[in-house]
Amino acid sequence: MIYDGHCHVASTDFIPDAFLGDVAYGMHRRLDLVAAGPPLDRLHESYRAQHRDHDADRLVAEMDAAGVARSVLMVPDFGYVMPGQPDLAAMAQRHHEIRLRHPGRFWVYLGADPRRGEAGARAFADLVDRFGIDGMKLYPPCGYSPSDPSLHPYYEVCRSRSLPVFVHTGPTAQSLTFTTSEAILVDRAARDFPDVPFVLGHGGVTDVEVSSYLAAHRPNIYVDTGGFAGSPVMGGWAAHLNRLFRLGINHKIIFGTDWPLNQLTGGLQGLVGEIRDGGEVFAGVSQRDQDLILRENLLRVLSPASVASAGPTPDRPRSGATT
């Protein structure tokens, strides 16, 4: 059984067109440095076309084909920096409806931005309770540090409900800042809230040395592999993942794809199939460690209620009980 700990509903209802345009612009610039790529407007439209799966029907079909039993849906809060995103209440409601449409297939991490203040934290708590939200998604490239004290009311919400905090780290759309997305910036928050699990989004792909160091020495910090297929890594992504899985932190690595933002790299079935059956990714990695990466570490960071919603699982320690 495989769980994808980092996924999105490919819908322009949730991802602002400004973000898709940013991604298209960055891709256009990179392609032009190598060879003449498609015009920018055509590339932008191709990203729009990939984001018309408004009820996640296509995503579920792709998960079925790939053998992914359940995925975490991320709902970033871009509201402060990009126009065109619905408010968080509307997105929480829609993701709740998607879960009702596809029962047993999704957990949901809802976005937050500390600039919404304590009123925003109270609204976040209300949405968590109303819709059974499973975690919080932070996007520091929008312009804030994940250790800013203004996030403390939000972390208190997560602590009181045993929710994980998923923090984007590393590069993103070209118009956003990278200075607040360094992995080390999570360290203070993890120390201030030792019983809240923090997951470093993309930490297994970018800034791996720092991310793996944090995961090895902070009991409540985990790393995510999201974006592995679309990242420039030495020897290709399969070799990169194999190096990651031989660092001695497999009890702290959560498998994630960041699907569908890597659709240009091929289908989800092919990616998961290469991981499961290709031989290179898990060469020299024990079956026990494979189970941790592909399923059990995600269950460790989720709340008991979220784990129960996935069906019966063996007893395992919570995040603070292991390093």
Side-chain angles (χ1 to χ4, degrees), residues 267-287:
L268 184 62
Q269 183 178 7
L271 291 182
V272 175
E274 178 66 20
I275 289 168
R276 185 181 53 234
D277 306 320
E280 183 175 8
V281 171
F282 282 129
V285 180
S286 70
Q287 184 62 54

Side-chain angles (χ1 to χ4, degrees), residues 21-83:
D22 241 356
V23 173
Y25 178 77
M27 178 65 73
H28 183 257
R29 290 291 299 273
R30 290 194 294 274
L31 291 175
D32 271 358
L33 291 174
V34 179
L40 177 58
D41 58 349
R42 187 186 307 169
L43 195 58
H44 190 173
E45 182 53 40
S46 74
Y47 279 105
R48 290 192 188 104
Q50 293 171 15
H51 286 73
R52 293 173 182 159
D53 185 27
H54 305 303
D55 296 314
D57 294 345
R58 188 178 72 211
L59 174 58
V60 169
E62 290 176 315
M63 289 166 57
D64 288 343
V68 174
R70 196 166 176 130
S71 298
V72 175
L73 298 178
M74 303 289 175
V75 190
D77 182 2
F78 292 121
Y80 262 78
V81 294
M82 291 184 174

Side-chain angles (χ1 to χ4, degrees), residues 254-272:
I254 294 173
F255 171 70
T257 61
D258 199 15
W259 200 256
L261 293 181
N262 291 309
Q263 285 189 67
L264 296 178
T265 62
L268 184 62
Q269 183 178 7
L271 291 182
V272 175

Side-chain angles (χ1 to χ4, degrees), residues 184-232:
I184 193 64
L185 294 178
V186 179
D187 184 55
R188 182 56 188 263
R191 286 187 291 136
D192 287 344
F193 292 85
D195 48 357
V196 172
F198 288 84
V199 182
L200 303 178
H202 312 286
V205 181
T206 63
D207 205 7
V208 175
E209 183 175 357
V210 173
S211 297
S212 59
Y213 176 84
L214 289 168
H217 297 285
R218 295 292 183 209
N220 58 330
I221 291 184
Y222 292 73
V223 299
D224 151 76
T225 66
F228 63 85
S231 298

